[in-house]
Each structure stands twice: as structure tokens, then as C-alpha cells.
């Protein structure tokens, strides 16, 4: 397992370099001269030229990219145009809220999705099964920002059970986590159902039934363990959507997280923050994918991932 | 010496060529049996009809400001109420169908066009071409959710056109991966060897003989992707990065409605419902298409 993790870490290097390259190239697409942008509209030609040298913009593009990669690996993502603070510090100040939101949403995705999927599979074609699958179809199609606003209107404005916006207490977490986790829960529910249905048709489950084992033991001890493998993959994939989705949900619930930082930075044309924010979120996603692969291997030792 | 290769169905013996339509008939029969897919198809057709007929069925001009009647709840005069500038929400929603559908179709077209070409080249040539393209796909897939689109829009500037490009680029790796996999399978089939031995060039083999045979997963993916594209584009407009005022794009309408959530919740309710039902339509129709066209893709 150790060798496998090392190998996967090494394989990640070209992907990370590629991600940095894409972010770097996207920022090259920005119309206008970044030196003018940074120096301000009214800056003199001398100041702009100085800024160009300072930023390395007078260097060939490959040198600029190499310098950018070098800086990124040192944690230097540049300086925010708005606050003049290092981008790294700005991101680190906002990241905890986003990670908390993503973890709370993953909890909703996994728990709600798996319970719904198991109930659906064990009671195939019943009213409960059909209801769950219809809700799952709706769940995949709901725009998270609309669901968020509907939840705010119902539970915060009308019933006054939860705060309208903000972050800090467990009460702040519930509505955003449901908003962000619903689509994932719907996908996990569908996946759990089909995976469980595949497993319960296997011979060893029939044997377990013939032995007279209780249904709960068969489901949770024997069937679920093997049904988990495809579910883990789906949950891992969902994490990417969750990270991307935080942008919208943080905006709806006014949460000061990484997603909102990126959106605010786009509005203010604070490009170093956009660049750094997208990069950090993608690096986190690449590492989560590695974690998913390791878990996949752990739960399914028969697969030779080498 | 080069030999001119006839299109696939003409190259087949008459019996086989005659048997070809039955594949589509089987597909249609399967699709028709799937009631849920038919419901999805009807929803999609309904919205396409609305998009086409919007200028004829919209009761008001979607841009006409009437400040006297601003923020009116749904009534007999304005079925879906009015917005903060007194514009008729229903008319804006009907016209918005054109915008939201166009964004979805254009974005998927961009994604499919480049994704198909990359996937075909990668799967057919293999070797270093495959390695390079596959690494590009890996890198593009390493961006979580809509963050890649967000980064592109931030560079190009907020506009509906840029959202189409951004969401299109976001879809390229998905199509490329599927097409690459299908191409790898099809290129090993005997008929491709036969065509090659007749002297057909790579272009003819790829675009006239492989491409028509991998259409099923592409059609399924395009339908499913339309749902994602419409959702992503609406999300970007909701954030103020897509359609700009006064365009009646659904995501932008929802964003505007957010400011009046406490006083006029209908402003957010109707566009949200429209996005959800259209996306639901594409999702369930796509599910049905997959089951009928390419059951192996079913998870």
C-alpha cells in the first residue's frame, strides 16, 4: 500500500503541473496588460515598466511559467490587488469555512444517500422505493442556488428555525449542507440501490439467507461491504462537484469561504486571488481523488491497482 | 493505389442494409416503452416549443418597464406577477427559455465538437497522441465542478457568450473520454481492418466508419450534458457572471429575485422551477436514451 501511495503521488506531479499551466494560461487570456492593471489606470509609463520588470512580464512566457510554478510550490500565490495581502493568507483565512461546509455536505450526501439507497434496494418496487427514486431524480435536477433560497424562505424566514445567513454554529451549517449535499445524496442513493441490488443477487448472499442469518446482518455485514466499492467512487467524484458547488452555496448563504472569495475577486477583477483560489481548490480535489483511490484499494483488496 | 470507399451502409450487402433501420425501430420501441423517458421527452419538447413560440405567446414585452406595477404578486393580469421594474415575469420567463436553451445547446456543441475530435484522434492513433491528449483530459478533469468555467469567465469577462464558451470547454474532457473509449473498441473490429486493407486513408476511416458507429454514447452524453450545461450556465448567471441585465436569462432572473425573497418570493420561485423542470426533462430523457441506445452505460 505504501509503495502504491508513493507511486500515485508521483503520478500526481504532471497533473498538478498541468493544472498550474491551465490556470496560468487562462490568466494570460485576460485582455489588457496585467502591469497596467496592477499599477492602476493613471500610472506613469515608468511605473508600468517597473511593474513589468518586477512581475517578470518582460521575460519569455516559459520563464514566466517556470517562475510561477516555483512560486506556487513555495506557497507564494502573489498579492491581492484589492487588499494588498498575500493571496495565500487570504485563501487560508477562508478555507476552513469551505472545508467545514464540504465535510458537512459530504456527510449529508453519504448518510442520506446510502440510507435512501438501502431502503430502496431492500424494498424494491415498493411505494417507498418509487418515492425515493422520484425524489432522487428531482434532487439531481434542482439548482442548488434555488434549493438554498427555498430552504431560507421556508425554514429561516417563515419558520424561523435557522439563521438566514452566516457561518459559525451548527445551526448555520444545516441549510447550506443540505443545499450542497442534496444532489450528491440523490446520485449516491441511485448508485447504492443499483449496487446493492447487484450484490444481493450473488450466491454468497443466498447462502447467508439459507443459513438463517437475520436480514439486517445480511444487509449491513455482508451486502453493504461489497456494495461500498462503487459507492466510494461516486462519493469521491461528488467531492469535486461539492468543491465547485461551494461557490454558489457560499454566495447564497453569505458564507465567507473560498468560493465566495473567488466570486468576489472575479467581480473586483482581483485576478491573483481568482488564480490562487481556483488552483488551491483544484489541488485539494487532486488529493481527494488520491484518497478515494487509496480507500478503493483498501475496500477491494482483490483489485491490483499497481 | 487509392480505392474510393463507399459510405458504410452502401458497402453492406443489400440484406444487411435493409436490416439497418430495424436497429432504430428497436431503439424507438424500447424508448416508447420507457414511460419516464417519454415524460422527459415531452418536457423537453414542451420547452423547445415555448422557446420557438415565445414571441407569439408572451402576453407582454419582456423588457417593458412599468414602475407603477412593480413587485405585484401573481394575478389574472400578470399570471406570474411582476418584477422590481414592473416587467411581466411570465413574458420574461418565456423569452428566457430561448436564452437558457441556446446556452445549453451551444455549450454542448462546443464541448462535443472538440471532445469528439480529441477522443477520436486519441483512441485511433494511440501512442504519443493518446498520451498527450489523455494527459490534457486528466488535467481538465482535475478542476472541481464549475471552477474551470469560473476561471475562464473571470479571464474573458462576464457575458452570456463567454459563459457558453466556458461551459463548453468544461464539457470537452467528458466527451473526449467517452469517444476515446468507444473508438478504442470500434477500431479493433474486423471491418475497420478490411476498410484499411482496401486503401482507405485515416480521415475516411475515422470520420466515415468509426464516428457513425460510436454515435450512441455521444447522443446519450450530449443529452445528459445539456442538463449540466443549463445548470452551470444558470449558476454562473446567478453569480452575475453570465447574462447581464436586462436579459431575461433564468439564472439572472433568479439572482434578481434573491434580493426580493422576503417581499416577492415569486420572483425567485418561477425561474427556479423552470430550470429544475427543464433539467429534470433532459436528465430523465437522457436516462431513457441510454437504456435504449447503450444499455452497457447503465450503472
Amino acid at each position: 500500500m505504501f509503495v502504491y501511495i508513493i507511486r500515485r503521488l508521483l503520478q500526481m506531479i504532471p497533473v498538478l503541473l498541468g493544472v498550474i499551466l491551465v490556470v496560468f494560461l487562462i490568466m494570460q487570456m485576460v485582455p489588457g496588460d496585467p502591469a497596467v492593471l496592477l499599477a492602476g489606470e493613471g500610472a506613469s509609463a515608468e511605473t508600468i515598466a517597473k511593474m513589468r520588470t518586477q512581475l517578470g512580464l518582460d521575460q519569455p512566457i516559459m520563464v514566466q511559467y517556470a517562475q510561477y510554478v516555483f512560486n506556487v510550490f513555495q506557497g507564494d500565490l502573489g498579492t491581492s490587488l484589492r487588499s494588498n495581502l498575500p493571496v495565500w493568507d487570504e485563501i487560508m483565512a477562508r478555507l476552513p469555512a469551505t472545508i467545514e461546509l464540504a465535510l458537512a455536505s459530504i456527510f449529508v450526501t453519504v448518510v442520506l444517500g446510502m440510507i435512501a439507497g438501502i431502503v430502496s434496494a431492500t424494498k424494491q418496487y415498493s411505494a417507498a422505493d418509487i418515492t425515493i427514486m422520484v425524489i432522487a431524480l428531482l434532487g439531481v435536477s434542482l439548482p442548488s442556488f434555488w434549493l438554498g433560497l427555498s430552504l431560507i424562505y421556508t425554514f429561516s424566514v417563515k419558520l424561523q428555525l435557522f439563521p438566514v445567513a452566516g457561518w459559525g454554529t451548527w445551526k448555520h451549517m444545516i441549510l447550506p449542507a443540505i443545499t450542497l449535499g442534496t444532489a450528491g445524496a440523490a446520485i449516491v442513493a441511485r448508485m447504492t440501490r443499483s449496487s446493492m441490488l447487484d450484490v444481493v443477487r450473488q450466491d454468497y448472499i443466498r447462502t447467508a439467507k439459507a443459513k438463517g442469518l437475520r436480514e439486517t446482518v445480511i444487509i449491513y455485514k455482508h451486502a453493504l461491504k461489497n456494495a461500498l466499492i462503487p459507492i466510494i467512487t461516486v462519493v469521491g467524484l461528488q467531492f469535486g462537484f461539492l468543491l465547485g458547488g461551494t461557490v454558489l452555496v457560499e454566495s447564497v448563504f453569505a458564507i465567507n469561504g473560498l468560493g465566495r472569495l473567488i466570486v468576489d475577486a472575479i467581480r473586483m477583477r482581483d485576478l491573483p486571488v481568482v488564480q490562487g483560489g481556483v488552483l488551491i481548490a483544484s489541488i485539494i480535489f487532486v488529493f481527494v481523488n488520491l484518497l478515494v483511490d487509496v480507500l478503493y484499494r483498501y475496500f477491494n483488496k482483490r483489485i491490483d491497482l499497481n | 493505389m487509392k480505392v474510393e470507399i463507399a459510405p458504410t451502409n452502401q458497402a453492406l450487402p443489400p440484406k444487411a442494409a435493409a436490416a439497418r433501420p430495424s436497429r432504430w425501430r428497436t431503439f424507438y420501441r424500447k424508448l416508447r416503452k420507457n414511460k419516464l423517458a417519454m415524460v422527459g421527452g415531452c418536457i423537453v419538447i414542451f420547452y423547445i416549443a415555448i422557446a420557438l413560440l415565445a414571441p407569439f405567446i408572451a402576453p407582454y414585452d419582456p423588457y417593458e418597464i412599468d414602475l407603477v406595477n412593480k413587485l405585484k404578486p401573481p394575478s389574472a393580469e400578470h399570471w406570474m406577477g411582476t418584477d422590481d421594474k414592473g416587467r411581466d415575469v411570465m413574458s420574461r420567463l418565456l423569452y428566457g427559455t430561448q436564452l437558457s436553451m441556446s446556452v445549453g445547446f451551444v455549450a454542448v456543441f462546443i464541448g462535443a465538437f472538440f471532445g469528439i475530435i480529441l477522443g477520436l484522434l486519441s483512441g485511433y492513433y494511440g501512442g504519443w497522441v493518446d498520451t498527450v491528449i489523455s494527459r490534457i483530459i486528466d488535467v481538465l478533469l482535475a478542476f472541481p465542478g464549475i471552477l474551470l468555467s469560473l476561471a475562464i469567465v473571470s479571464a474573458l469577462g462576464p457575458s452570456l457568450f463567454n459563459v457558453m464558451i466556458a461551459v463548453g470547454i468544461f464539457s470537452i474532457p467528458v466527451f473526449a473520454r467517452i469517444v476515446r473509449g468507444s473508438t478504442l473498441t470500434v477500431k479493433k473490429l474486423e471491418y475497420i481492418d478490411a476498410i484499411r486493407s482496401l486503401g482507405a486513408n485515416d480521415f475516411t476511416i475515422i470520420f466515415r466508419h468509426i464516428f457513425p458507429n460510436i454515435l450512441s454514447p455521444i447522443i446519450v452524453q450530449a443529452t445528459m450534458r445539456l442538463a449540466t450545461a443549463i445548470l452551470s450556465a444558470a449558476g454562473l448567471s446567478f453569480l452575475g457572471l453570465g447574462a447581464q441585465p436586462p436579459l431575461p436569462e433564468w439564472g439572472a432572473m433568479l439572482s434578481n429575485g434573491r434580493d426580493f425573497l422576503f417581499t416577492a418570493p415569486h420572483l425567485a420561485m418561477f425561474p427556479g422551477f423552470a430550470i429544475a423542470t427543464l433539467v429534470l426533462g433532459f436528465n430523465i430523457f437522457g436516462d431513457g436514451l441510454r437504456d435504449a441506445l447503450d444499455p452497457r452505460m447503465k450503472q
Side-chain angles (χ1 to χ4, degrees):
Chain A
M1 179 68 98
F2 180 72
V3 176
Y4 170 71
I5 294 173
I6 296 291
R7 188 174 296 160
R8 286 288 283 109
L9 279 169
L10 289 173
Q11 282 170 357
M12 269 168 49
I13 294 172
V15 174
L16 285 177
L17 287 173
V19 167
I20 298 171
L21 178 67
V22 170
V23 172
F24 176 77
L25 289 177
I26 288 173
M27 292 306 143
Q28 299 295 315
M29 284 159 43
V30 176
D33 187 344
V36 177
L37 204 70
L38 282 165
E41 286 294 325
S44 66
E46 198 184 326
T47 317
I48 292 168
K50 210 169 165 187
M51 188 64 82
R52 286 185 70 78
T53 317
Q54 199 182 324
L55 293 170
L57 295 173
D58 50 353
Q59 302 286 328
I61 193 148
M62 282 315 291
V63 177
Q64 288 184 42
Y65 171 63
Q67 184 62 47
Y68 183 63
V69 172
F70 182 72
N71 290 344
V72 167
F73 279 103
Q74 287 191 319
D76 177 8
L77 299 172
T79 308
S80 162
L81 303 182
R82 191 177 33 146
S83 66
N84 260 328
L85 290 170
V87 172
W88 177 264
D89 293 353
E90 289 237 17
I91 291 172
M92 288 307 132
R94 302 288 195 100
L95 200 56
T98 299
I99 291 182
E100 280 170 28
L101 172 61
L103 290 177
S105 310
I106 267 286
F107 181 78
V108 171
T109 292
V110 173
V111 173
L112 210 67
M114 282 181 63
I115 291 174
I118 291 168
V119 170
S120 229
T122 50
K123 307 210 180 311
Q124 197 184 5
Y125 303 130
S126 67
D129 177 27
I130 294 165
T131 311
I132 288 171
M133 283 306 111
V134 169
I135 293 173
L137 259 175
L138 286 172
V140 183
S141 310
L142 286 180
S144 61
F145 39 99
W146 186 54
L147 177 64
L149 291 177
S150 307
L151 290 177
I152 290 175
Y153 183 72
T154 312
F155 293 100
S156 303
V157 179
K158 288 285 165 193
L159 301 173
Q160 300 194 340
L161 291 174
F162 300 105
V164 173
W167 195 251
T169 66
W170 66 270
K171 274 195 159 188
H172 286 102
M173 267 190 199
I174 292 179
L175 296 186
I178 292 173
T179 304
L180 192 53
T182 298
I187 293 168
V188 169
R190 292 177 74 178
M191 190 69 204
T192 307
R193 181 182 184 271
S194 79
S195 184
M196 284 288 284
L197 287 175
D198 279 347
V199 172
V200 294
R201 289 186 192 120
Q202 304 279 326
D203 285 345
Y204 73 93
I205 296 293
R206 215 170 292 138
T207 311
K209 277 183 191 161
K211 269 167 64 184
L213 287 179
R214 273 185 297 137
E215 199 182 334
T216 43
V217 176
I218 295 171
I219 291 167
Y220 293 101
K221 201 176 164 194
H222 298 282
L224 191 59
K225 204 172 156 190
N226 285 300
L228 265 180
I229 296 156
I231 298 168
I232 289 169
T233 314
V234 170
V235 171
L237 287 173
Q238 282 312 303
F239 196 84
F241 289 101
L242 283 183
L243 268 180
T246 54
V247 174
L248 288 160
V249 174
E250 285 177 5
S251 182
V252 170
F253 288 93
I255 299 166
N256 278 327
L258 180 60
R260 200 166 167 221
L261 177 74
I262 296 172
V263 174
D264 288 345
I266 294 174
R267 290 203 187 112
M268 308 260 185
R269 306 288 290 158
D270 192 351
L271 295 173
V273 173
V274 180
Q275 201 173 15
V278 172
L279 193 62
I280 294 294
S282 306
I283 291 172
I284 293 172
F285 184 42
V286 170
F287 276 96
V288 168
N289 278 338
L290 170 72
L291 182 70
V292 171
D293 280 356
V294 172
L295 282 175
Y296 193 94
R297 188 183 163 89
Y298 176 78
F299 279 102
N300 194 5
K301 293 195 178 74
R302 283 166 303 171
I303 290 180
D304 180 11
L305 288 174
N306 290 328
Chain B
M1 187 184 79
K2 292 236 161 140
V3 175
E4 193 60 38
I5 303 296
T8 322
N9 55 349
Q10 285 174 23
L12 290 169
K15 228 180 179 179
R20 192 149 252 237
S22 73
R23 184 180 148 201
W24 292 101
R25 224 175 291 145
T26 315
F27 152 71
Y28 182 63
R29 210 178 306 128
K30 270 189 196 168
L31 188 67
R32 238 182 34 187
K33 262 191 198 164
N34 188 337
K35 288 196 181 80
L36 206 57
M38 293 313 284
V39 172
C42 288
I43 295 174
V44 172
I45 292 169
F46 172 74
Y47 275 106
I48 291 174
I50 284 184
L52 295 172
L53 298 172
F56 308 104
I57 55 175
Y60 296 90
D61 178 344
Y63 300 103
E64 193 187 316
I65 293 172
D66 178 11
L67 291 173
V68 179
N69 283 313
K70 68 176 186 179
L71 297 174
K72 288 274 189 245
S75 63
E77 206 180 336
H78 296 281
W79 287 8
M80 293 183 185
T82 59
D83 68 5
D84 57 315
K85 294 191 172 59
R87 295 173 296 203
D88 181 56
V89 173
M90 188 175 157
S91 303
R92 290 180 66 72
L93 207 65
L94 294 174
Y95 274 93
T97 317
Q98 293 177 337
L99 290 174
S100 293
M101 287 277 237
S102 314
V103 174
F105 278 105
V106 173
V108 170
F109 177 78
I110 293 171
F113 182 79
F114 291 104
I116 288 168
I117 290 176
L118 287 175
L120 282 168
L121 295 177
S122 175
Y124 182 75
Y125 287 108
W128 68 267
V129 177
D130 183 32
T131 308
V132 170
I133 293 175
S134 295
R135 291 296 82 79
I136 294 172
I137 296 171
D138 284 348
V139 168
L140 291 178
L141 287 173
F143 287 90
I146 59 166
L147 275 190
L148 180 63
S149 307
L150 211 66
I152 296 168
V153 171
S154 74
L156 298 177
S159 83
L160 201 57
F161 179 71
N162 290 342
V163 162
M164 291 180 195
I165 296 173
V167 176
I169 294 174
F170 168 49
S171 303
I172 291 174
V174 182
F175 280 100
R177 187 164 270 193
I178 284 172
V179 172
R180 177 186 173 271
S182 304
T183 307
L184 281 174
T185 313
V186 173
K187 82 164 182 181
K188 285 178 193 147
L189 298 178
E190 276 178 20
Y191 82 93
I192 297 293
D193 286 337
I195 293 160
R196 194 178 292 122
S197 66
L198 285 170
N201 61 27
D202 288 348
F203 185 87
T204 310
I205 296 174
I206 293 173
F207 292 100
R208 284 176 77 175
H209 298 282
I210 294 180
F211 178 62
N213 284 295
I214 58 166
L215 267 180
S216 302
I218 294 173
I219 293 170
V220 173
Q221 190 56 43
T223 314
M224 303 278 221
R225 206 63 205 170
L226 272 166
T228 314
I230 289 169
L231 262 185
S232 307
L236 290 170
S237 290
F238 177 78
L239 293 172
L241 306 174
Q244 300 298 308
L247 280 182
E249 199 271 342
W250 291 346
M253 285 174 73
L254 223 163
S255 177
N256 183 44
R258 172 169 62 163
D259 300 334
F260 305 96
L261 193 62
F262 302 151
T263 50
H266 66 274
L267 286 187
M269 195 177 80
F270 291 116
F273 182 77
I275 299 169
T277 44
L278 179 58
V279 169
L280 178 73
F282 276 119
N283 271 336
I284 53 183
F285 185 59
D287 266 0
L289 275 183
R290 182 197 55 202
D291 294 350
L293 271 174
D294 196 3
R296 284 165 307 163
M297 277 174 75
K298 192 171 182 176
Q299 289 179 326

